[in-house]
Amino acid sequence: MAWRIEPRAERSRALDLAAPALAVAATIVIGSLVFSALGYDGLGAAREIFLSPLADPQRWPDLGVKSAPLVLIAVGLSFGFRANVWNIGAEGQYVVGAIAGTGVALAAYDMAGYWILPAMLVAGALGGAAYAAIPALLRTRFKVSEILSSLMLSYVALQLLYFLVRGPWRDPQGYNFPQTRTFTDWETLPAVVPGTVLHLGVPIAFLAAFLAWIVLRATVLGFEVRVVGLAPAAARYAGFEADRTAWRTMLAGGAFAGLAGILEAAGPFGQLTPQFPQGYGYVAIIVAFLGRLHPLGIALAGIVMAVSYVGGETAQTTVGLPGAAAGVFQALMLFCLLAVDMATRYRLRRVAPAPSAAGARP
Amino acid sequence: MADVGASPLLELRGVTNTFGALKANDGVSLAVGAGRIHALLGENGAGKSTLVKIVFGVLKPDSGDMLWQGAPVEVASPAAARKLGIGMVFQHFSLFDAMTVAENVALGLDGARADAALERRIVEVAESYGLPLDPRRATHTLSVGERQRIEIVRALLQDPKLLVMDEPTSVLTPQEVERLFVTLRKLRDEGRSILYISHKLREIEELCDAATILRQGRVVAEVDPRRTDARRMAELMIGSELKGVARPAARAPGEVRLAVRGLDLPPEGQFETPLRGASFEVRAGEVLGIAGVAGNGQVELMRALTGERRAPRADMILLDGAPVGALGPEARRKLGLAGAPEERNGHAAVGDMSLADNAFLSARHVRGLTSRGALRPRAARAYARDVIAAFAVKAGGPDALARSLSGGNLQKYVVGREMLQAPKVFVVAQPTWGVDAGATAAIRQAIVDLAAGGAAVVVVSQDLDELREISDRLVALNAGRVSRAVDAASASVEEIGLMMGGVHGEPPAATGGAVGLAH
């Protein structure tokens, strides 16, 4: 008996949309089995990581804060991913965006005014875009794979951050700790709901996702990105130059990541420290695909991913899971998504052995 | 050798094969006698290729039997088919460009090596069948006709009783076709059988002893092609009456709309054909046909004309006298140059988008489907609806996905989308390739009508009959060079064939001398 994997003739749209939900469910099942096998309370772990943050309204602001950078970066990446531009270095653009915005903040340290914060945000977005311009230039001019160049540049960005917080930008009153000055009130994102951690960056991120959806749906720019992704030759026919699209999507991805970076610096951190990069730039890749590269889907996926972060921290104390457990669940989610996608696009068919084969052979 | 009345060499009984909802073959029965050239005739999508794949063991039928010399057989793989004595020459060659002829032959033979003995056998077989071939040549240096010889020689080396040929002449010039037919007749006279797949009636009349006609997966007739009118066979094949193209009365052509002057285009990739000094003109009201065997620069020329690739100098392409060679597709469209490349799905249209969205691809400027960077979906749907109505496109409406349309209907949509923009110049490649007969007639008529309305039209096609039917003048493309133009009505097939083969019939160095005198 033989089995064969073959593409499904008709892909069901419902199944396509349900795939991420199925993937999350599969993640919970497999994750709890794995942690049970390791001697933990597997079911409890899955419950703590995926359910308790949602059940407790007190944690909701945390979810918002965690999801904001993920959503913002993932939406930016989704433009490129749709157009076959594989920017893997959002982490670096995130860090450089934070650095650029912080540069403005430090320069305006002794000043006051409402202009400072917007200037920081603009500088952050520009910084991220400028950093993404390097792999874009390498790709369009020298045909260097942006996958490698953008990824490697992320490590360069980390070194730049370490250098700045230990050297020129070190807080003069900071007892030699490697960190910048803490931002002034003019330089810090105000809380949206007073008394909570919910800062202005959270609505900005979700608003950006909504605007991205409009751009993708209703503008020639968005059309260009969709066509390049679906049929590159047709894009060329339509007059959309491949290199121009690569530039635009890379710069957009960098700008979104850079904006996420400065929002994080001017929000929860209030300064730059070596602990600033938390891997959001990488996790956002999972979020982008979990959200089906669709801005609204990404907003939802960002919340799911934030749940796993917040829940992962709770689970460390309540179930005694190691800190890496949340990471395991996050990676498992991407893995399950790929598996579910495979299952929705292909099917396993049993190939019946030929009935008269034996008789025909001499 | 089998006598008349003995069991046929190959017999199929009630072969049925289903892909999803589509019945590619529906109870097909046919018998190929020994020493016969048997034609399998049908339009694109009639189920010919599926049937051939079953015979050669590539596909397994859902039901039905195959008999070989009267005994039921199960062909599990191409290797098993070869063992029985079935040789196959596919329409698309499976050759490696970087390898030599002998290496490519060895790859197709089970367990052979490209040694001196094989080279000797290749030369032997090639010469005895009139297929000259140098076993040590690198494949990428060969013409398409020569590549086909590799496939044929490879099949003949296994001494097949039945040779299956899938559309063998679609890539050949008329002269090469003649040479191939000599070889095929020789094979038949040796007692071998040939299953000859084609939709070209003239060839079948000339070559074949028997014909099975397929339509929509079923056998609709068994005829003797030597005694059946070609028109009758065509009607059996398409299931309706043939409609010719109505051409307007000849008029004096207008001013030159599109001029290509000494267009050179270096290849972008290793296996692309460079354009070398291509020159031609098209006037208002005229259809210029560009003939040629595939791979002689058609794709490259189309890209250069539509602006997907820029010309090295702007004045190499002139639109109404203005240089446009440096402009991209969008700018050229705004000036009235529309184009439809040969690949519909994925190039002229995006399969996973709706017909309305596909209208944005090329009609957004001329038809005002966008305003200030924003899409106007309502305008696009209205335009798609217009195209669907004007060109009788069978589709679920403007929201139907492009890939849900049949090849012919999508082609009608693409051609209609360009034509309703009332272009001054329209360039189209293989307008009826893989399109059913009804749509073919409609598209050819639309092309002729567009020119009659004052547009200049360039049709790039491999189908000589098509070009003779709709063109006013013809040029041929050979190895990236464009021949001189001939009158489509009066030029003989032989003349055009020579042009396609690179013999342009120009007095040597005549143009060079003229330039010299001017100084």
Side-chain angles (χ1 to χ4, degrees):
Chain A
M1 189 190 310
W3 294 84
R4 192 189 290 163
I5 294 173
E6 48 180 39
R8 288 180 194 271
E10 275 301 314
R11 263 169 57 201
S12 130
R13 190 166 162 72
L15 206 57
D16 229 29
L17 291 176
L22 284 175
V24 173
T27 304
I28 293 175
V29 172
I30 297 173
S32 57
L33 285 176
V34 167
F35 281 96
S36 296
L38 287 171
Y40 294 97
D41 172 10
L43 267 181
R47 190 189 58 235
E48 282 301 322
I49 290 182
F50 284 99
L51 286 179
S52 61
L54 284 171
D56 179 4
Q58 299 235 303
R59 318 297 316 264
W60 290 354
D62 290 339
L63 293 182
V65 170
K66 277 287 177 191
S67 58
L70 292 173
V71 169
L72 206 48
I73 300 171
V75 165
L77 290 179
S78 71
F79 297 128
F81 291 170
R82 273 175 182 264
N84 296 323
V85 175
W86 303 105
N87 175 9
I88 305 299
E91 182 77 0
Q93 293 138 26
Y94 170 84
V95 169
V96 171
I99 288 173
T102 301
V104 172
L106 296 180
Y109 190 70
D110 300 323
M111 296 179 231
Y114 288 107
W115 60 271
I116 297 177
L117 196 53
M120 286 165 60
L121 300 191
V122 169
L126 289 180
Y131 207 56
I134 302 171
L137 181 77
L138 292 173
R139 171 180 151 131
T140 53
R141 185 61 62 86
F142 304 108
K143 299 201 189 308
V144 175
S145 164
E146 72 279 11
I147 300 177
L148 296 176
S149 58
S150 65
L151 179 62
M152 292 193 289
L153 280 168
S154 291
Y155 298 100
V156 178
L158 289 188
Q159 298 307 320
L160 179 65
L161 171 72
Y162 297 157
F163 163 73
L164 288 172
V165 296
R166 293 196 169 102
W169 284 4
R170 192 173 50 193
D171 181 1
Q173 276 103 49
Y175 308 104
N176 253 345
F177 277 111
Q179 59 191 33
T180 65
R181 293 175 191 269
T182 39
F183 295 169
T184 65
D185 283 351
W186 293 112
E187 297 164 351
T188 309
L189 291 171
V192 189
V193 181
T196 69
V197 291
L198 210 61
H199 58 81
L200 189 62
V202 180
I204 289 180
F206 284 89
L207 185 70
F210 181 73
L211 290 178
W213 178 59
I214 302 284
V215 166
L216 211 51
R217 253 178 83 93
T219 69
V220 178
L221 271 177
F223 182 73
E224 170 177 339
V225 167
R226 285 187 285 148
V227 173
V228 170
L230 290 172
R236 201 165 153 168
Y237 170 68
F240 303 137
E241 313 276 330
D243 282 355
R244 198 177 62 189
T245 312
W247 266 106
R248 285 175 173 169
T249 54
M250 280 296 280
L251 292 183
F256 274 64
L259 180 62
I262 187 57
L263 286 175
E264 198 67 4
F269 276 83
Q271 64 180 162
L272 280 189
T273 74
Q275 286 75 45
F276 176 74
Q278 306 234 312
Y280 287 142
Y282 302 118
V283 178
I285 298 170
I286 308 178
V287 172
F289 282 102
L290 197 62
R292 279 278 174 273
L293 302 183
H294 186 294
L296 302 186
I298 288 171
L300 212 62
I303 294 174
V304 170
M305 198 56 86
V307 166
S308 73
Y309 268 110
V310 174
E313 275 167 30
T314 327
Q316 289 180 41
T317 53
T318 54
V319 201
L321 280 190
V328 172
F329 272 97
Q330 287 158 4
L332 202 51
M333 214 174 326
L334 180 63
F335 191 74
C336 288
L337 183 69
L338 294 175
V340 171
D341 267 355
M342 178 85 182
T344 57
R345 276 168 207 180
Y346 297 85
R347 61 176 181 172
L348 203 57
R349 197 171 79 142
R350 210 172 93 183
V351 185
S356 57
R361 296 240 166 75
Chain B
M1 195 88 349
D3 311 314
V4 179
S7 53
L9 180 66
L10 170 78
E11 194 177 351
L12 297 178
R13 285 186 189 159
V15 168
T16 298
N17 214 9
T18 312
F19 297 111
L22 178 79
K23 269 198 174 169
N25 293 132
D26 189 359
V28 172
S29 299
L30 72 89
V32 181
R36 312 261 275 170
I37 303 184
H38 190 113
L40 190 56
L41 185 62
E43 285 209 279
N44 290 295
K48 293 171 297 183
S49 294
T50 310
L51 204 60
V52 168
K53 283 183 188 156
I54 290 169
V55 170
F56 200 54
V58 179
L59 274 180
K60 222 168 270 173
D62 295 339
S63 64
D65 298 309
M66 179 166 158
L67 283 77
W68 181 253
Q69 295 176 321
V73 284
E74 182 81 23
V75 186
S77 68
R82 281 197 287 266
K83 215 172 250 170
L84 279 179
I86 302 176
M88 173 90 205
V89 177
F90 282 102
Q91 185 178 6
H92 301 285
F93 308 149
S94 44
L95 299 173
F96 291 92
D97 277 325
M99 292 187 170
T100 67
V101 171
E103 284 166 343
N104 266 308
V105 170
L107 275 177
L109 301 177
D110 304 312
R113 285 180 44 199
D115 50 16
L118 181 67
E119 285 179 8
R120 258 198 316 279
R121 283 176 63 207
I122 291 174
V123 172
E124 241 172 65
V125 169
E127 277 178 0
S128 63
Y129 291 103
L131 303 163
L133 201 56
D134 177 356
R136 297 203 177 157
R137 282 273 293 277
T139 304
H140 67 87
T141 64
L142 301 181
S143 75
V144 185
E146 289 171 310
R147 288 172 198 221
Q148 187 180 53
R149 283 183 210 155
I150 304 179
E151 294 267 355
I152 298 175
V153 166
R154 179 153 81 183
L156 290 181
L157 278 173
Q158 302 168 69
D159 194 23
K161 297 192 184 73
L162 173 70
L163 188 63
V164 183
M165 305 197 78
D166 192 359
E167 304 269 1
T169 60
S170 60
V171 293
L172 301 182
T173 66
Q175 279 79 3
E176 286 175 319
V177 170
E178 271 314 309
R179 228 170 297 146
L180 174 70
F181 282 6
V182 171
T183 305
L184 296 185
R185 288 200 188 95
K186 185 158 190 224
L187 289 169
R188 172 187 59 193
D189 296 342
E190 291 177 353
R192 300 180 207 273
S193 301
I194 296 165
L195 184 58
Y196 188 87
I197 291 106
S198 181
H199 62 268
K200 293 185 178 170
L201 298 162
R202 233 185 315 202
E203 293 176 0
I204 285 165
E205 255 184 326
E206 191 186 330
L207 182 72
C208 299
D209 310 307
T212 299
I213 302 179
L214 284 183
R215 186 168 77 232
Q216 289 168 0
R218 293 165 174 275
V219 174
V220 290
E222 295 272 356
V223 299
D224 181 344
R226 290 162 303 189
R227 288 198 205 101
T228 313
D229 184 32
R231 204 182 165 81
R232 175 77 196 125
M233 286 199 284
E235 287 174 359
L236 284 167
M237 189 165 91
I238 65 178
S240 65
E241 270 184 56
L242 269 184
K243 246 196 310 190
V245 171
R247 310 250 329 240
R251 289 161 303 127
E255 72 281 15
V256 173
R257 290 235 117 136
L258 176 72
V260 176
R261 300 259 163 86
L263 173 63
D264 290 310
L265 206 61
E268 266 189 328
Q270 196 186 350
F271 301 117
E272 277 199 1
T273 309
L275 296 180
R276 298 182 172 100
S279 297
F280 57 88
E281 288 182 349
V282 202
R283 291 170 180 276
E286 182 185 49
V287 178
L288 177 76
I290 298 186
V293 172
N296 273 292
Q298 284 91 340
V299 173
E300 293 79 3
L301 179 64
M302 273 305 284
R303 279 196 210 137
L305 290 180
T306 57
E308 287 183 42
R309 272 198 77 188
R310 312 291 198 275
R313 275 203 339 265
D315 61 357
M316 284 177 173
I317 301 174
L318 304 171
L319 184 62
D320 282 333
V324 296
L327 302 178
E330 293 185 273
R332 291 193 201 184
R333 280 197 194 103
K334 286 183 200 164
L335 292 173
L337 191 155
E342 76 175 68
E343 186 62 47
R344 297 177 276 276
N345 208 339
H347 193 178
V350 183
D352 282 322
M353 281 187 169
S354 71
L355 293 180
D357 276 353
N358 269 294
F360 290 123
L361 275 188
S362 67
R364 61 185 185 280
H365 296 296
V366 175
R367 299 291 302 209
L369 303 184
T370 57
S371 82
R372 287 193 219 132
L375 303 176
R376 296 177 56 213
R378 227 179 273 169
R381 295 183 78 232
Y383 184 59
R385 217 177 283 126
D386 287 352
V387 174
I388 290 169
F391 282 78
V393 180
K394 276 181 214 140
D399 297 321
L401 288 186
R403 69 175 154 85
S404 71
L405 271 63
S406 71
N409 276 303
L410 185 53
Q411 180 71 351
K412 280 201 275 187
Y413 181 79
V414 167
V415 168
R417 180 186 66 192
E418 302 310 313
M419 284 193 180
L420 283 198
Q421 299 179 48
K424 292 179 194 166
V425 175
F426 180 46
V427 290
V428 57
Q430 320 293 0
T432 61
W433 191 56
V435 169
D436 60 86
T440 295
I443 290 168
R444 288 181 185 166
Q445 189 65 55
I447 288 173
V448 168
D449 292 347
L450 183 72
V457 182
V458 178
V459 180
V460 177
S461 177
Q462 288 178 61
D463 185 342
L464 214 46
D465 294 335
E466 167 169 271
L467 289 180
R468 285 157 63 87
E469 188 175 2
I470 60 177
S471 318
D472 298 294
R473 288 186 307 134
L474 277 176
V475 297
L477 196 56
N478 177 271
R481 291 192 176 84
V482 173
S483 74
R484 75 196 158 85
V486 295
D487 185 69
S490 61
S492 67
V493 175
E494 285 68 34
E495 193 179 346
I496 301 168
L498 286 174
M499 283 160 49
M500 284 162 68
V503 183
H504 295 171
E506 287 155 351
T511 41
V515 172
L517 284 177
H519 287 280

